[in-house]
Amino acid sequence: MERMRGSGNSVVVLLLLMFMGVSTARIMEQQGDYAEQYRRNLLANGLAMTPPMGWNSWNHFSCKIDEKMIRETADALVSTGLSKLGYTYVNIDDCWAEIARDVKGNLVPKNSTFPSGIKNLADYVHNKGLKLGIYSDAGYFTCSKTMPGSLGHEEQDAKTFASWGIDYLKYDNCNNDGTKPTVRYPVMTQALMKSGRPIFFSLCEWGDLHPALWGAKVGNSWRTTQDISDTWESMVSRADLNEFYAELARPGGWNDPDMLEVGNGGMTKDEYIVHFSIWAISKAPLLLGCDVRNMTKETMEIVANKEVIAINQDRLGVQAKKVRSEGDLEVWAGPLTGYRTAVLLVNRGAVRISMTANWDDIGIPSKSIVEARDVWEHKTLKTKFVGNLTATISSHASKMYILKPIS
Ligand SMILES: *[C@@H]1O[C@H](CO)[C@@H](O)[C@H](O)[C@H]1NC(C)=O
Ligand SMILES: *[C@@H]1O[C@H](CO)[C@@H](O)[C@H](O)[C@H]1NC(C)=O
Ligand SMILES: *[C@@H]1O[C@H](CO)[C@@H](O)[C@H](O)[C@H]1NC(C)=O
């Protein structure tokens, strides 16, 4: 808090009031339309009206990154057609900078791996119609400890990022000073707002202090979980944790269960389809985490599914919930524009089994006659459904439908 006082800015005052526990209702009275004003005041970047889509280097490459592979990844996003489907952010994760700042205290791109500098890379990526993301940390060093964090340098680093043409900042939580994330993260929010460039702000706070409860005032997305790894268990446990906060996602700010592992080889095709389906229906960021320069046909078929992407990017922006779970059988559902409902049936068990989604559970009037579109088979089913829909589903597999009442 101390760091933010004295700027004489009404934004700071409003933020302080919020942290001091002044009720939102009172602020609403003072500010008029609360939802609008509040968001505009604190993170007025106008971004993330739908969840972000793109790629991030960490899941596949960790620290083994350089400007050549970032350029090649941008090329691949365009040549594969993925950029046209919405995958536009090219996000550099940890390990892009020298361990020491320059004499003026600026971050310096690592000479051995990014010799042309980040501005040059941003120009390259922008020329392809894509956006460039970068990474820092609300601590003294990033998680790799190979480069500085931005704690205490927020304004300077935000200015640097803006001057390079950065469009997205992932902001990690390692090696901090022990103060609360609710203190450290808003300092960067303010700094980004002052930088004069709209920069998507991705809070990577790992869910430590329930960032879903305060993230919408501070960032465009907030991690609800620890890092994902490329296994079924890791993936479904992150899906579960993220689902808990479903009601707090909305256009402008999204729950983030971490980046995609599709295409990295640790799960079966069916498991990756479950992964992509849950992320899509949960309005999670769709950030590819594989090597997009070298994707199999199977990986491409999953991540390029337009109908599934459309569920994720639906303008209504409501995160689906697990509306029923019976043992290993789960029904996820959420509303879409046009009075439609997205439904996902997941079988987490070991045997193939019949599963039913009841209208009662998914919020469709019980007498409604419904048309069902299978978004993985790309087929509208001939049968019209009343009251429920039943499907047989293999172990660690799923079915996803868009339901549309026709009377
Ligand atoms: C960067 O590396 C190149 C070659 O490795 C070297 O010639 C150059 O002096 C280095 N630049 C800086 C600023 O260290
Ligand atoms: C491309 O992917 C295949 C597996 O799909 C792998 O065997 C191969 O090593 C990869 N090539 C590169 C250059 O990473
Ligand atoms: C589905 O609904 C029909 C009525 O439309 C009912 O006869 C049937 O028992 C229901 N099936 C399940 C599995 O609930």
Side-chain angles (χ1 to χ4, degrees):
M1 280 297 108
E2 278 308 317
R3 308 152 134 283
M4 285 163 18
R5 276 194 193 118
S7 82
N9 187 327
S10 67
V11 171
V12 177
V13 173
L14 185 57
L15 194 59
L16 284 170
L17 287 172
M18 287 308 296
F19 286 145
M20 284 158 49
V22 176
S23 81
T24 51
R26 261 188 60 202
I27 294 175
M28 177 157 65
E29 282 163 27
Q30 288 160 7
Q31 298 281 324
D33 182 347
Y34 159 74
E36 270 307 302
Q37 282 286 340
Y38 187 58
R39 288 196 54 72
R40 192 177 299 136
N41 282 343
L42 285 152
L43 190 69
N45 63 15
L47 299 174
M49 294 319 284
T50 61
M53 292 177 66
W55 170 86
N56 173 291
S57 55
W58 187 258
N59 283 357
H60 192 84
F61 299 95
S62 60
C63 267
K64 292 186 233 56
I65 57 171
D66 58 57
E67 61 181 40
K68 179 166 172 283
M69 55 85 66
I70 300 289
R71 278 199 210 100
E72 288 171 357
T73 298
D75 295 347
L77 285 171
V78 174
S79 65
T80 54
L82 287 172
S83 63
K84 278 223 175 71
L85 298 178
Y87 293 97
T88 50
Y89 285 106
V90 178
N91 292 349
I92 306 170
D93 207 280
D94 202 350
C95 310
W96 60 268
E98 296 287 357
I99 183 79
R101 290 170 180 271
D102 71 11
V103 288
K104 292 184 183 145
N106 295 310
L107 290 167
V108 182
K110 202 167 170 183
N111 188 35
S112 60
T113 48
F114 291 88
S116 315
I118 304 296
K119 167 105 177 52
N120 191 288
L121 201 48
D123 291 345
Y124 184 87
V125 163
H126 290 156
N127 277 334
K128 304 210 140 236
L130 304 173
K131 301 186 180 110
L132 190 69
I134 210 157
Y135 165 98
S136 187
D137 186 289
Y140 299 119
F141 290 95
T142 62
C143 297
S144 70
K145 296 196 181 152
T146 65
M147 58 172 279
S150 292
L151 187 63
H153 292 267
E154 291 86 353
E155 279 202 17
Q156 184 171 16
D157 291 353
K159 256 191 216 148
T160 300
F161 297 149
S163 76
W164 287 343
I166 291 293
D167 303 295
Y168 184 115
L169 174 65
K170 172 177 171 182
Y171 204 48
D172 221 329
N173 198 21
C174 285
N175 306 307
N176 64 65
D177 61 358
T179 57
K180 287 184 171 188
T182 45
V183 175
R184 283 177 288 119
Y185 280 78
V187 185
M188 184 52 93
T189 309
Q190 299 271 85
L192 291 173
M193 289 302 293
K194 271 183 143 179
S195 78
R197 185 174 173 88
I199 297 178
F200 185 109
F201 191 26
S202 158
L203 316 181
C204 184
E205 187 263 9
W206 318 325
D208 278 6
L209 205 64
H210 303 291
L213 302 179
W214 49 269
K217 305 154 206 161
V218 179
N220 297 113
S221 68
W222 44 87
R223 276 276 298 280
T224 50
T225 71
Q226 298 280 313
D227 282 10
I228 194 170
S229 58
D230 189 16
T231 67
W232 168 261
E233 288 72 25
S234 171
M235 186 275 289
V236 292
S237 74
R238 270 128 198 93
D240 289 345
L241 277 169
N242 193 66
E243 193 268 346
F244 188 75
Y245 302 103
E247 296 195 6
L248 296 162
R250 81 292 295 272
W254 308 100
N255 288 312
D256 176 7
D258 207 358
M259 299 158 312
L260 296 164
E261 290 284 10
V262 181
N264 282 332
M267 292 182 237
T268 66
K269 180 180 182 187
D270 279 348
E271 289 174 340
Y272 278 142
I273 289 176
V274 174
H275 179 17
F276 197 69
S277 297
I278 295 180
W279 263 237
I281 203 171
S282 300
K283 305 293 186 281
L286 296 182
L287 295 172
L288 304 169
C290 62
D291 185 351
V292 297
R293 301 168 307 174
N294 184 31
M295 283 184 301
T296 62
K297 189 162 162 281
E298 186 176 290
T299 298
M300 185 65 187
E301 269 171 27
I302 297 171
V303 303
N305 185 323
K306 284 185 194 172
E307 297 192 63
V308 176
I309 292 170
I311 290 174
N312 180 257
Q313 297 291 305
D314 187 78
R315 306 300 296 189
L316 199 59
V318 176
Q319 180 175 334
K321 289 185 207 161
K322 215 185 282 191
V323 293
R324 184 180 279 251
S325 50
E326 292 171 303
D328 292 324
L329 309 181
E330 299 178 346
V331 180
W332 297 64
L336 301 173
T337 50
Y339 306 100
R340 297 168 307 148
T341 303
V343 178
L344 173 66
L345 306 175
V346 181
N347 176 7
R348 286 166 70 153
V351 293
R352 187 170 162 86
I353 197 164
S354 164
M355 289 186 65
T356 298
N358 294 302
W359 283 195
D360 268 2
D361 294 330
I362 60 184
I364 296 178
S366 59
K367 300 235 163 65
S368 290
I369 302 170
V370 165
E371 187 177 87
R373 173 83 181 169
D374 182 325
V375 295
W376 284 105
E377 296 293 331
H378 304 294
K379 272 186 201 138
T380 302
L381 305 187
K382 288 213 182 74
T383 316
K384 306 292 177 249
F385 298 87
V386 183
N388 58 49
L389 181 155
T390 295
T392 303
I393 300 182
S394 302
S395 166
H396 289 197
S398 56
K399 281 281 196 183
M400 188 150 68
Y401 304 96
I402 293 175
L403 305 184
K404 192 169 145 195
I406 51 177
S407 76

